[in-house]
Amino acid sequence: MSIIFSIVVDGIAYGMILFMISVGLSITMGLMRIINLAHGGFALLGGAAVHVLSVRLGVPFLIASFTAVILVIVLALVLERLLYRHIYGFGELGQVLATIGIVFLMIATVNLFLGSTILSLGAPQSLTAAVDLGFKTLPLHRVIVILAGFMILALLWLLMEKTRFGIYLRASVDNKVAAASLGINTPRVFLAAFAIGAGLAAFGGILGAELLPIEAYYPLRYMVLFLIVVSVGGLGSIPGSFVASLGLGILDTAGRYLLPGIGTIFFFLAITALLALRPQGLLGKAQ
């Protein structure tokens, strides 16, 4: 029972990290119709910014983390205006080549200034303190990650379903010309959605650095993992990304605990079988 509980808790925490980083990719790929392979790079830049602020400049970790997320959002706004707005009009292959080029630029920049080793984020020791739940003790970091994941899910649902912005975004995706004719500023809507996705990636990268360490090749190392979450959950489906992240997090963790030698093989076989049965993903719409 102890092993099962550890698998569930670690798997949920791992899944929450995947969700926070991947949900922005699901929004850009499923709703905005752009293949942004550079999405994981925003998680890298968020972690790198915290390293510089917290470890090298001595800024308190929480302030450094908040500042890093804001900096990544600002950078995303600039990139969307200068680069991505043109990439939207590319074909699928053009989007892949353009965004993978952005990935290599991000990697080269971090590698040049910070090196290729794992970057410490200077998190306080209190995050490793044990929290007694009565029937089990957990590291505080795991508890924070799980709670943050549920909070992000609730906020995104409210944003997409209960606000005017969510209505504007769905309308712009369904028919950009019709939405613009009704007075919706579609470029601004896409700009905001892109910035939100980048900010979530940065937040997830910082919070999940213990499980997915920050280093220069982070975007390439975990690119396939983030794409798997989006594919399994269904393009553009926030609930789908959440369910897929939790399921894949628990599945991957179980494989590492119970089948350390072949766990990764079992993980990818399960994903292949699932996508063969449901090519549109768990909660995606059939094309």
Side-chain angles (χ1 to χ4, degrees):
M1 289 300 296
S2 177
I3 293 178
I4 293 176
F5 184 83
S6 296
I7 290 174
V8 171
V9 172
D10 290 345
I12 291 176
Y14 182 32
M16 289 299 187
I17 296 302
L18 294 180
F19 169 68
M20 285 185 278
I21 297 176
S22 301
V23 69
L25 182 59
S26 180
I27 291 173
T28 55
M29 288 184 66
L31 298 181
M32 300 170 64
R33 304 294 193 268
I34 176 175
I35 304 173
N36 182 22
L37 298 185
H39 184 76
F42 293 115
L44 164 65
L45 296 179
V50 172
H51 170 79
V52 172
L53 292 171
S54 181
V55 176
R56 303 200 176 191
L57 300 181
V59 177
F61 177 74
L62 291 179
I63 297 176
S65 299
F66 178 79
T67 304
V69 172
I70 297 300
L71 290 175
V72 169
I73 290 175
V74 171
L75 176 63
L77 293 173
V78 174
L79 289 177
E80 203 277 345
R81 286 286 185 181
L82 298 180
L83 292 178
Y84 280 91
R85 185 149 300 184
H86 303 288
I87 296 174
Y88 293 154
F90 292 0
E92 292 180 352
L93 179 58
Q95 291 179 356
V96 168
L97 293 176
T99 56
I100 200 70
I102 295 173
V103 169
F104 284 117
L105 285 174
M106 292 177 173
I107 291 173
T109 301
V110 173
N111 195 25
L112 175 64
F113 292 102
L114 301 177
S116 58
T117 58
I118 293 177
L119 302 177
S120 170
L121 302 193
Q125 291 294 324
S126 58
L127 288 180
T128 62
V131 177
D132 189 358
L133 302 179
F135 56 92
K136 184 73 175 180
T137 58
L138 293 176
L140 178 60
H141 176 263
R142 296 288 195 276
V143 177
I144 292 175
V145 166
I146 293 173
L147 293 178
F150 281 111
M151 180 187 71
I152 293 298
L153 175 65
L155 290 176
L156 284 175
W157 182 83
L158 289 173
L159 179 67
M160 298 299 294
E161 301 295 333
K162 300 297 182 180
T163 68
R164 192 173 298 273
F165 170 78
I167 297 173
Y168 287 171
L169 179 59
R170 294 196 301 273
S172 300
V173 168
D174 290 339
N175 193 319
K176 184 177 180 180
V177 175
S181 68
L182 293 173
I184 298 175
N185 189 331
T186 53
R188 185 172 296 176
V189 169
F190 284 151
L191 176 65
F194 187 84
I196 290 171
L200 287 174
F203 180 70
I206 295 167
L207 200 58
E210 180 183 337
L211 299 175
L212 302 179
I214 299 294
E215 43 89 20
Y217 292 91
Y218 182 101
L220 288 180
R221 190 179 302 278
Y222 301 114
M223 179 189 296
V224 172
L225 188 58
F226 301 148
L227 290 173
I228 286 173
V229 172
V230 175
S231 300
V232 171
L235 291 177
S237 173
I238 293 174
S241 293
F242 182 76
V243 172
S245 297
L246 289 187
L248 293 173
I250 293 173
L251 178 64
D252 193 17
T253 303
R256 296 176 188 276
Y257 269 88
L258 304 177
L259 302 168
I262 60 173
T264 302
I265 298 175
F266 174 75
F267 176 75
F268 284 105
L269 284 176
I271 292 167
T272 302
L274 176 61
L275 291 178
L277 294 174
R278 289 189 61 83
Q280 73 273 23
L282 294 174
L283 298 180
K285 297 179 180 179
Q287 299 296 322

